[in-house]
Amino acid sequence: MPVDAEKEITGLWRDLHGAQDEIGRTYYRWRKAALELAGPGVEPLEVGLKAAGVIGAEIGRGLLPRLNWLKGEDAWLRSLAGAIAAQWTRHGAVVKLQKGASATEVLLEWTRCPWPTFAKEYGASMEEDVRCCDRILEAILEDVNLFFNVHYRIETTKAIPRGQGCCVRRLYKAE
């Protein structure tokens, strides 16, 4: 029986989007359970930031074998930025890389991100969404910086959850 490639691709595409949605909802289900267990005195932002630190550290350690300093610092930086962008793309975001003002700077631009929608669905503030995303990115860099003996930072200059239409993060070498 011949394979209907269009039908197969459509099914895979639908399944991918379903999996991406499930990832976001699972995180916020976990958050809800953690807040209930922690009791009435806990700040939701503290719980989210703690989780974001764990998530980012694990992502950062996972990137270490894939980053190659031998190709030069600018190629290494583009590789790091591309790996970060790919992580969010797997979750359903659309992230593009742009050249920065110098060879030791890359801009990452999110033109679409499903995470603010998940945050809204589960009652998390938009500021918590931005701060937790920032924390993940910072935590990714902690082990990467240590392992490669560099000092890169990332900062948010625009954020979708703040109503700015896109998220822009500046990944740069701190002097």
Side-chain angles (χ1 to χ4, degrees):
M1 172 153 63
V3 173
D4 182 344
E6 187 172 337
K7 183 177 178 182
E8 292 294 320
I9 291 169
T10 300
L12 290 170
W13 186 253
R14 185 179 53 249
D15 292 345
L16 170 65
H17 285 280
Q20 290 169 335
D21 288 347
E22 193 59 28
I23 290 168
R25 288 190 179 97
T26 297
Y27 171 82
Y28 279 102
R29 290 174 191 139
W30 164 88
R31 178 187 174 273
K32 181 179 178 182
L35 290 172
E36 288 175 10
L37 286 171
V42 72
E43 287 292 322
L45 178 60
E46 288 181 41
V47 172
L49 289 173
K50 179 66 174 173
V54 171
I55 292 165
E58 290 189 9
I59 292 169
R61 283 191 296 275
L63 296 180
L64 294 178
R66 293 167 182 81
L67 298 173
N68 185 347
W69 188 263
L70 297 176
K71 294 181 180 179
E73 188 172 12
D74 52 337
W76 178 87
L77 179 59
R78 285 192 310 275
S79 174
L80 173 60
I84 291 170
Q87 184 68 35
W88 266 259
T89 299
R90 283 191 289 276
H91 291 194
V94 176
V95 186
K96 297 176 184 168
L97 303 182
Q98 299 175 10
K99 284 187 173 190
S102 72
T104 57
E105 177 181 284
V106 174
L107 300 177
L108 292 92
E109 181 182 15
W110 280 249
T111 55
R112 179 187 179 283
C113 185
W115 286 93
T117 301
F118 299 133
K120 192 172 187 177
E121 282 179 22
Y122 285 86
S125 74
M126 292 295 101
E127 191 58 24
E128 180 180 338
D129 180 63
V130 173
R131 300 246 336 254
C132 287
C133 188
D134 288 348
R135 181 64 192 119
I136 291 170
L137 293 164
E138 292 162 359
I140 287 170
L141 291 178
E142 289 168 5
D143 279 343
V144 169
N145 281 335
L146 184 64
F147 187 82
F148 287 98
N149 195 28
V150 294
H151 188 67
Y152 277 84
R153 301 200 38 149
I154 192 160
E155 64 183 23
T156 299
T157 60
K158 287 185 176 182
I160 293 169
R162 292 180 179 149
Q164 297 172 312
C166 65
C167 291
V168 177
R169 267 88 183 203
R170 178 178 168 246
L171 177 62
Y172 64 98
K173 185 175 186 175
E175 301 299 329

